[in-house]
Amino acid sequence: SYVLTQPPSVSVAPGQTARITCGGNNIGSKSVHWYQQKPGQAPVVVVYDDSDRPSGIPERFSGSNSGNTATLTISRVEAGDEADYYCQVWDRTSDHYVFGTGTKVTVL
Amino acid sequence: QVQLVESGGGVVQPGRSLRLSCVASGFTFSTYGMHWVRQAPGKGLEWVAVIWHDGSNKYYVDSVKGRITISRDNSKNTLYLQMNSLRGEDTAVYYCARDYGQGSGYYHFDYWGQGTLVTVSS
């Protein structure tokens, strides 16, 4: 089965840039989506199709995808960005949807 | 506005059954694929199952195949998850989520319910 690997945690100071990676075999050939989940809440999509943002999501959230790594970048980090972040793809070979292992972003 | 409201969770003994429901409103339910996603306490998200917009196809994560069935009633705008032979490792918050498309792959999950907790314990 397809596996997506994320770093368990990322720490960043307010105003700085956080980068969260999502590793998978030839992930650059897939469409990657990113979700933010705050404690006690349901996930919310922040980036879809590698780099598109839903309405209402700040431009500070951006994404890229190439080779074996997709990246979610949060610019000018704010305290409210502290959350767990998950990448997700659809695996065509199995018709399964796969989530990454998740990354906890801590704002120092 | 789009709303997804899950119900049916609770405490159940190992080996027993439970049926979850997700009532949808604010959109044309029959044109969207629907998913169940679960999250064990303190753990990450795990996709469980998808059903196409018309119910014609269903896919499951390997760990639940043969024990869990996803279904929908488009006349009632309701998604279901029938869970049989429950195990301790099925303990989780279960979310229903709308597919951005018809459920046939590629797209993201654009709306989520607030989840319902299932606890499997004797």
Side-chain angles (χ1 to χ4, degrees):
Chain A
S1 61
Y2 194 76
V3 176
L4 294 174
T5 302
Q6 300 179 233
S9 63
V10 167
S11 298
V12 59
Q16 298 304 303
T17 298
R19 293 180 179 85
I20 305 164
T21 58
C22 175
N25 184 36
N26 197 27
I27 194 174
S29 67
K30 301 181 184 299
S31 184
V32 179
H33 318 300
W34 291 92
Y35 302 87
Q36 176 194 68
Q37 186 182 33
K38 296 182 178 179
Q41 298 184 18
V44 172
V45 60
V46 292
V47 167
Y48 65 95
D49 292 355
D50 295 341
S51 58
D52 290 335
R53 270 186 322 275
S55 60
I57 300 300
E59 291 183 6
R60 302 184 297 102
F61 289 84
S62 61
S64 63
N65 184 20
S66 178
N68 292 319
T69 304
T71 303
L72 174 69
T73 300
I74 312 173
S75 305
R76 302 181 299 283
V77 167
E78 302 174 355
D81 299 331
E82 193 163 275
D84 293 326
Y85 292 83
Y86 297 89
C87 56
Q88 177 255 315
V89 301
W90 173 60
D91 179 26
R92 179 186 304 272
T93 59
S94 63
D95 270 318
H96 284 184
Y97 295 75
V98 181
F99 284 97
T101 50
T103 299
K104 181 176 182 60
V105 170
T106 300
V107 181
L108 301 172
Chain B
Q1 70 283 17
V2 172
Q3 279 198 311
L4 300 170
V5 180
E6 303 96 335
S7 62
V11 180
V12 59
Q13 293 179 329
R16 309 285 286 193
S17 298
L18 204 62
R19 188 177 82 158
L20 307 182
S21 299
C22 170
V23 177
S25 60
F27 65 101
T28 305
F29 182 67
S30 61
T31 62
Y32 289 89
M34 294 296 296
H35 301 263
W36 287 100
V37 177
R38 68 184 179 183
Q39 186 169 36
K43 302 297 184 182
L45 301 173
E46 180 183 40
W47 172 79
V48 175
V50 62
I51 185 168
W52 286 20
H53 67 105
D54 58 359
S56 60
N57 282 285
K58 308 171 187 180
Y59 298 95
Y60 302 90
V61 68
D62 291 347
S63 60
V64 306
K65 280 181 182 175
R67 300 189 300 117
I68 288 180
T69 303
I70 189 172
S71 63
R72 64 191 298 159
D73 186 336
N74 285 345
S75 68
K76 296 182 178 179
N77 290 350
T78 303
L79 175 72
Y80 302 101
L81 191 69
Q82 178 65 45
M83 302 189 293
N84 301 327
S85 303
L86 282 163
R87 307 167 179 169
E89 54 264 39
D90 296 318
T91 295
V93 173
Y94 285 74
Y95 295 100
C96 66
R98 191 182 83 166
D99 192 280
Y100 187 72
Q102 295 181 334
S104 53
Y106 183 83
Y107 295 112
H108 60 286
F109 309 158
D110 60 351
Y111 288 94
W112 298 64
Q114 282 306 301
T116 187
L117 176 61
V118 173
T119 303
V120 182
S121 174
S122 55

